[in-house]
Amino acid sequence: MWKKILGSLLLLVIAVVGGGLAYLHFKPVNMRAASGITIERTPERLARGNYLFNHLTGCVDCHSPVDEKRFGYPVIPGSQGKGKVVIPGPGMPGTIVAPNITPDPETGAGRWTDGQLLRAIREGIGHDGRVLFPMMPYTEFRNLSDEDVYSIIAYMRTLPQASSSLPATTVKFPVNLFIKSAPSPVDSVPQPNRADRVAWGRYLTTIGGCKFCHSPVENDGSPVKGKEFSGGHVFELAPGARAVTPNLTPDRETGTGTWSESEWLEKFTQYKDYAANGSPVVEPNMNTAMPWLIFSNLDPDDLRAIFAYLRTVPAVKNAVVTHPDAPEEKRAREQGAK
Ligand code: HEC
Ligand code: HEC
């Protein structure tokens, strides 16, 4: 009897999943043609774009080769924007390549239009009309204001041209079907008011990826509702080397509730020396997914706004061990098991 119920349930599941995949296969992607926009390169935009690309929005970390052995994965000097095959970690559904986005006309973005770049960054459609794998965080970048995304594009055009041919991204079945629902068109996004510290801080935590990395996530990658910023998002840096995000909510025991603003600032600025003079070689289990090197030079005014915003999010109790595979954590676990 139980076997039968189980059997028919399984059939039902297969029918539903199969039907779902067939549905996704035929489901149209929510996309539109790239606009014919021409983005003017003003000195203000180049300065702002430099700050976003190389610091807050982390484009440089994903789109450049990095030194895997050193703390914080520093970008190899002179290779900004040159692209790389994203290391196929366990469970990587295919070959994911962060492309060369320097203005090289043959192997980079030199022939892609401003409209194509705009659509790729905020709407998730590549220059060739392909659905982008959402590791490119367009689901967050869709919140970039018009002025900020124009600044990023203006700046990208000034990167040194680098010739670097990379393979094309291939996404395996069925993930290639699931990602079809990620893109969507974005209309005009106004710049939040910088004088409103909380609103400005909220904006920065979205485009800076803080919310994405510091929240537990659902299967589709969206933060678990009500648990935003409570940490626990696991990053597998190498086999057997995990980094887990800490709780940034104002909980006084497990979060940042007792931190002062100057302690908060110090967390970031302590890495300035590594950013300027190079960071040390570390074991993978002591490395980090936190972009400390590029974040050490965030504008203190932005860091204060982020801190002000984080004071307003609901406190969630969630104690996190950030380096569970570090030697002392392993030792502590072994001793606990005895
Ligand atoms: C977490 C890593 C990550 C970050 C951060 C990131 N990208 Fe990407 N980006 C990727 C990957 C991976 C792809 C390729 C996706 C694919 O091929 O399906 C991509 C694709 C792109 C493309 C599309 C190229 C095309 O084919 O048209 C552009 C343009 C781009 N990124 C620009 C940026 C800019 C600008 C930023 C910062 C605002 C940025 N990326 C931040 C990983 C990242
Ligand atoms: C790519 C993922 C990622 C992004 C993006 C990210 N973080 Fe982190 N963060 C981590 C991880 C993993 C750790 C734990 C390891 C460590 O401390 O190096 C961490 C640690 C921290 C800590 C240290 C807390 C402590 O107890 O010492 C702070 C503060 C922090 N992040 C704030 C931020 C802010 C603010 C942003 C956005 C501007 C941000 N993070 C974006 C992954 C991320």
Side-chain angles (χ1 to χ4, degrees):
M1 174 65 188
W2 277 111
K3 256 194 176 156
K4 250 198 178 147
I5 292 181
L6 206 69
S8 56
L9 267 179
L10 271 178
L11 275 182
L12 187 75
V13 168
I14 291 167
V16 169
V17 170
L21 289 179
Y23 165 75
L24 283 174
H25 181 74
F26 292 110
K27 184 181 161 39
V29 175
N30 190 4
M31 62 177 281
R32 58 182 176 183
S35 76
I37 188 171
T38 304
I39 294 167
E40 201 193 330
R41 263 180 243 174
T42 62
E44 293 75 27
R45 281 186 179 157
L46 294 183
R48 176 82 182 147
N50 183 353
Y51 176 68
L52 293 170
F53 189 95
N54 292 310
H55 300 285
L56 185 65
T57 53
C59 322
V60 74
D61 271 2
C62 283
H63 283 275
S64 317
V66 296
D67 187 340
E68 303 276 337
K69 296 201 176 65
R70 289 182 188 278
F71 181 80
Y73 303 99
V75 169
I76 311 280
S79 67
Q80 250 186 333
K82 207 172 165 182
K84 67 179 167 212
V85 177
V86 178
I87 296 101
M92 262 303 169
T95 306
I96 311 299
V97 181
N100 178 349
I101 49 175
T102 73
D104 184 60
E106 303 303 330
T107 63
R111 295 210 179 103
W112 306 349
T113 66
D114 287 348
Q116 284 170 332
L117 291 174
L118 180 62
R119 188 178 63 164
I121 299 167
R122 283 205 306 202
E123 306 184 12
I125 303 294
H127 67 286
D128 48 4
R130 193 170 53 85
V131 172
L132 294 176
F133 187 65
M135 178 179 190
M136 163 66 192
Y138 54 89
T139 49
E140 308 295 304
F141 292 161
R142 64 171 56 126
N143 298 295
L144 275 168
S145 72
D146 297 346
E147 194 45 41
D148 277 351
V149 74
Y150 297 165
S151 299
I152 291 171
I153 293 170
Y155 172 76
M156 277 171 63
R157 303 295 200 187
T158 68
L159 287 170
Q161 286 188 23
S163 172
S164 167
S165 291
L166 294 163
T169 289
T170 48
V171 185
K172 282 192 204 142
F173 174 86
V175 177
N176 61 341
L177 297 183
F178 293 138
I179 65 173
K180 284 177 73 179
S181 37
S184 71
V186 174
D187 290 321
S188 180
V189 180
Q191 185 85 349
N193 177 4
R194 204 168 177 151
D196 178 343
R197 305 312 285 158
V198 170
W200 185 243
R202 183 190 300 121
Y203 175 66
L204 300 175
T205 60
T206 304
I207 65 170
C210 330
K211 184 175 178 190
F212 173 78
C213 283
H214 282 272
S215 305
V217 286
E218 307 278 5
N219 286 336
D220 67 357
S222 60
V224 175
K225 283 256 172 326
K227 297 253 166 87
E228 288 90 351
F229 298 103
S230 66
H233 193 153
V234 181
F235 293 85
E236 180 126 5
L237 304 174
R242 291 163 296 170
V244 188
T245 48
N247 183 349
L248 300 182
T249 74
D251 182 61
R252 297 183 67 85
E253 277 153 46
T254 63
T256 58
T258 58
W259 297 18
S260 67
E261 191 187 72
S262 56
E263 282 169 332
W264 170 259
L265 287 172
E266 169 65 20
K267 288 271 177 195
F268 292 82
T269 51
Q270 64 177 321
Y271 295 103
K272 267 181 193 283
D273 177 48
Y274 284 179
N277 303 313
S279 59
V281 171
V282 289
E283 290 300 320
N285 56 15
M286 294 302 289
N287 215 327
T288 184
M290 173 72 183
W292 287 122
L293 304 178
I294 56 172
F295 282 177
S296 66
N297 287 309
L298 287 179
D299 180 348
D301 183 66
D302 280 353
L303 286 171
R304 284 192 206 99
I306 292 174
F307 191 65
Y309 166 62
L310 288 173
R311 298 295 84 180
T312 70
V313 309
V316 177
K317 209 164 270 318
N318 184 31
V320 175
V321 176
T322 54
H323 290 91
D325 301 314
E328 69 270 17
E329 293 295 341
K330 280 191 175 158
R331 227 172 294 128
R333 272 201 301 277
E334 276 158 23
Q335 270 158 14
K338 267 182 205 147

